[in-house]
Amino acid sequence: MNENTLDTLTGMYFTLDDPDGTYGTGQVIRLATEGVYFVRFDGNEVTLPLELVSIGEMLETTDEEYRLWRFFDTIEDRDKWIEWLDAPSTPRVITLVRPTK
């Protein structure tokens, strides 16, 4: 690996969307080689082993052009995103009729 390799993802937290509408979470642990990172997905009770993920995989999108991977500087930022994502939406009523005077 080249000393000049730019590493901007190590230490970042992420969410990864699954096709079934759920998502996984984890952290980018370190650069393995140029363009490939060790990542650790969060487990329920045990720490799961590291996985290798390429930049190409991290840049994948859905057919509608939505990114599958989202990166966050801190776990708090990621948790805020998850809280917003999981919050039930509240319907808004918009009246199309103007009130008469």
Side-chain angles (χ1 to χ4, degrees), residues 14 27-29 37-41 49-51 53 58 69:
F14 65 83
Q27 184 178 19
V28 179
I29 302 301
Y37 285 87
F38 285 110
V39 300
R40 177 171 285 136
F41 286 90
L50 299 177
E51 293 187 31
V53 180
M58 293 177 180
W69 290 73

Side-chain angles (χ1 to χ4, degrees), residues 60-97:
E60 287 180 353
T61 61
T62 65
D63 294 336
E64 295 82 25
E65 300 296 320
Y66 291 109
R67 293 183 302 169
L68 297 175
W69 290 73
R70 289 182 183 82
F71 296 94
F72 305 89
D73 289 327
T74 66
I75 199 164
E76 290 81 14
D77 290 342
R78 183 187 71 185
D79 289 346
K80 285 179 192 175
W81 169 260
I82 291 171
E83 185 179 320
W84 175 83
L85 192 64
D86 290 344
S89 60
T90 55
R92 294 177 17 180
V93 177
I94 300 173
T95 181
L96 299 176
V97 178

Side-chain angles (χ1 to χ4, degrees), residues 30-51:
R30 69 179 174 90
L31 188 65
T33 187
E34 190 170 345
V36 179
Y37 285 87
F38 285 110
V39 300
R40 177 171 285 136
F41 286 90
D42 297 332
N44 291 338
E45 296 179 17
V46 296
T47 302
L48 299 175
L50 299 177
E51 293 187 31

